[in-house]
Amino acid sequence: AVRQRLSRARTELKEEILNMMSMTFEQKKLPVGFTFRIMETVKQIKINPVSQMKGLPWGLSLATGLLVAVLSFNSHFIMELFGTYGGSALPVEQKVLKIGEIPVDALKISNMVMLSNLKGNGNGGGANLQNSFFMAPQGEGEWIKKADMPTGRRAIAAVTVNDKIYVIGGIGKGANFPVLSTVEEYDPVADKWTAKTDMPRARYLQNSASVVDGKIYAIGGVIENAGVYTAIPFVEEYDPIKDIWTKKKDMPTARYSLATCAMNGKIYAIGGFDDNDKVIPPVEEYDPSTDIWTKKNNMPIARGSLGLVMVNNRIYAIGGYDFVKSFTTVEEYDPIADQWTRKSDLPFVSCSFGTCVVNKKIYIIGVVDGATAKNYSTMLEYDPAKDKWTEKKEMQVARSALSAVAINGKIYAIGGGNPALDGAMSTIEEYDTGFVSESVNAKGKLPTTLGQKKQINK
């Protein structure tokens, strides 16, 4: 009787899961990188031999049987769920284990032949699937046009607070290159823009704004007065909740086209140009809690219009320009040790691009060779753990002097300029990397039930 009930329960559960997964797959494609994340998890699983258990109580026996049944559907279920590729099923070795008197089919993954001869279709950079045991979703991701920014501009700063994007300052349209104080908020979910309180001083920031404790700090840049452009040391704090600006202590070194990023509650201002358009190497640390600036070790290779991001408590200064040439230089800065280390160069010279981080990978978007002012739509990915660069999907619209931010695994390329199209663009494009951050934690060490997941999703 027990075996019959378990057999019926297993059959019904299998049918329900198949129906549920079929509907789910039809409604929503698997995210990019799904296969590779599964494989990385599988490689870390250690399977210990299961000892025989006799005379288990009825309730425990049933629960154990159902759990093992779910975790050990045979190869036909696996192939029905994920499909076969190249006209042949994956090689499977079946084993029969016994837990009490319950027969179980086990899929032996460790000896499985990998699909090493399969290649991508070009949409995802032709990724090798040697480490995959089923085909990943086609295409690595596409750039999708979103609602235009109300104010077209370049040399902007864009940051994220509470899943909203704030675009600050920049250079607007017109022959006189007007410097702007405009602040606009973008909601990626609603695809909607909202005007916010302007900065006290109009200036272009070129990626020199950072966030600490929900406050935005706009640092340095250039102001314009009667046609005269001046590098400034100004620091202003913006509170998105109150929608107000507050003057803070000036940066020690007046400069523009510097880059900033935040780490452990501090902001680091690096590189840039002085009033004479001379490239300078200062590294200065700002503590918003005390409103104090501290001088640190200079960047080894001085440059402006660079990218700057933080990964694993290291800051990466990428590319740049010195009014003579563009750079391929990549340097890693350890703020705790106050030391610099040279890393693998960019594949080609570039500056004035957008920079962001997703899943501990660095993305630079819209590279441009400052010496030739040639704009590109290229996106590159850098893996700090491997010290390796990879070319990714190109933007639809080539541009430079844009800004880039990431929210929930999606990259947003904002504004910028392209002399062949428009010197101050409103264009916004979204790219889905496929990475989904962990947002739901299981209670204790038990798996979350379907009913709980539905409640959480609500």
Side-chain angles (χ1 to χ4, degrees):
V2 171
R3 284 197 295 269
Q4 289 176 354
R5 291 183 181 182
L6 287 174
S7 177
R8 287 197 301 270
R10 180 180 177 184
T11 300
E12 292 173 0
L13 182 59
K14 177 178 175 180
E15 291 175 354
E16 290 177 3
I17 290 178
L18 283 171
N19 291 335
M20 180 185 70
M21 295 304 294
S22 296
M23 289 188 295
T24 302
F25 285 167
E26 289 176 0
Q27 293 171 359
K28 185 174 181 180
K29 294 181 180 179
L30 290 173
V32 178
F34 174 85
T35 298
F36 305 104
R37 293 198 299 275
I38 291 293
M39 284 308 304
E40 288 300 316
T41 301
V42 168
K43 285 190 294 185
Q44 299 177 26
I45 294 176
K46 295 181 180 179
I47 302 176
N48 297 320
V50 181
S51 60
Q52 284 196 340
M53 295 176 287
K54 295 184 179 180
L56 289 173
W58 159 250
L60 183 56
S61 298
L62 177 59
T64 303
L66 289 175
L67 179 59
V68 173
V70 171
L71 296 177
S72 56
F73 284 126
N74 61 27
S75 60
H76 301 293
F77 171 69
I78 297 293
M79 298 317 299
E80 189 173 353
L81 185 61
F82 295 110
T84 58
Y85 300 93
S88 62
L90 296 174
V92 173
E93 176 181 336
Q94 292 188 343
K95 283 187 176 181
V96 177
L97 305 177
K98 288 191 176 180
I99 300 179
E101 295 181 354
I102 304 170
V104 179
D105 293 333
L107 177 64
K108 188 174 182 182
I109 298 175
S110 59
N111 293 335
M112 188 173 291
V113 178
M114 302 303 178
L115 302 180
S116 60
N117 61 333
L118 296 178
K119 300 290 183 180
N121 64 356
N123 293 333
N128 192 319
L129 301 182
Q130 184 173 355
N131 292 324
S132 305
F133 65 91
F134 54 88
M135 183 79 76
Q138 290 295 314
E140 186 184 327
E142 300 292 335
W143 284 99
I144 300 172
K145 183 103 167 38
K146 308 300 287 187
D148 281 351
M149 183 165 49
T151 307
R153 41 193 165 139
R154 59 185 172 88
I156 56 178
V159 295
T160 64
V161 179
N162 296 328
D163 289 343
K164 299 293 196 333
I165 299 172
Y166 294 85
V167 183
I168 305 169
I171 298 175
K173 298 178 184 291
N176 295 325
F177 305 112
V179 179
L180 305 176
S181 60
T182 307
V183 179
E184 291 166 335
E185 175 196 84
Y186 176 64
D187 182 343
V189 176
D191 193 23
K192 180 181 178 181
W193 288 91
T194 304
K196 309 301 283 186
T197 299
D198 287 351
M199 278 192 299
R201 299 174 177 85
R203 49 183 160 143
Y204 85 70
L205 291 166
Q206 187 62 51
N207 297 322
S208 58
S210 293
V211 177
V212 173
D213 294 332
K215 306 289 180 61
I216 300 169
Y217 295 86
I219 300 172
V222 164
I223 60 172
E224 183 265 339
N225 185 13
V228 177
Y229 295 87
T230 306
I232 56 174
F234 301 153
V235 179
E236 290 163 335
E237 174 196 86
Y238 176 67
D239 186 333
I241 296 177
K242 297 179 180 179
D243 192 26
I244 59 173
W245 286 90
T246 304
K247 178 78 170 64
K248 309 301 286 186
K249 187 174 182 179
D250 286 352
M251 178 171 51
T253 306
R255 43 186 161 152
Y256 71 96
S257 288
L258 70 156
T260 69
C261 74
M263 175 181 150
N264 297 332
K266 309 286 181 62
I267 296 174
Y268 295 86
I270 299 177
F273 302 97
D274 64 15
D275 250 347
N276 298 315
D277 297 331
K278 180 182 178 182
V279 67
I280 53 177
V283 176
E284 292 164 337
E285 176 193 85
Y286 177 65
D287 186 342
S289 65
T290 60
D291 198 24
I292 292 175
W293 284 92
T294 304
K295 176 115 176 92
K296 311 298 277 186
N297 281 331
N298 285 346
M299 181 168 51
I301 300 177
R303 52 202 196 274
S305 300
L306 67 159
L308 199 69
V309 290
M310 188 276 289
V311 179
N312 290 331
N313 290 326
R314 297 290 190 276
I315 294 172
Y316 293 83
I318 303 168
Y321 179 58
D322 67 359
F323 274 102
V324 176
K325 62 184 182 301
S326 295
F327 291 83
T328 59
T329 306
V330 179
E331 294 172 319
E332 177 192 85
Y333 177 61
D334 180 347
I336 297 174
D338 195 18
Q339 293 180 346
W340 287 89
T341 304
R342 186 69 179 264
K343 308 301 287 187
S344 291
D345 284 354
L346 285 160
F348 35 78
V349 294
S350 53
C351 65
S352 300
F353 43 75
T355 315
C356 63
V357 175
V358 178
N359 193 24
K360 299 182 179 180
K361 305 285 177 54
I362 299 171
Y363 293 84
I364 69 170
I365 303 105
V367 302
V368 60
D369 181 351
T372 63
K374 182 179 180 181
N375 290 271
Y376 296 92
S377 55
T378 302
M379 175 168 66
L380 297 173
E381 176 195 85
Y382 176 68
D383 185 342
K386 297 179 181 178
D387 193 22
K388 180 180 178 182
W389 287 95
T390 305
E391 192 164 345
K392 310 297 281 187
K393 186 76 174 182
E394 290 187 350
M395 284 190 298
Q396 295 182 27
V397 181
R399 49 208 157 112
S400 68
L402 72 161
S403 194
V405 297
I407 296 179
N408 298 327
K410 294 181 178 180
I411 295 172
Y412 295 87
I414 303 169
N418 186 330
L421 300 174
D422 189 344
M425 304 174 74
S426 300
T427 304
I428 308 297
E429 293 181 61
E430 175 195 86
Y431 176 84
D432 191 346
T433 66
F435 174 73
V436 179
S437 61
E438 185 177 317
S439 57
V440 179
N441 294 322
K443 295 182 178 180
K445 294 183 179 180
L446 297 176
T448 305
T449 65
L450 181 60
Q452 287 173 323
K453 286 181 180 178
K454 287 182 178 178
Q455 187 65 32
I456 290 170
N457 289 337
K458 287 180 182 179

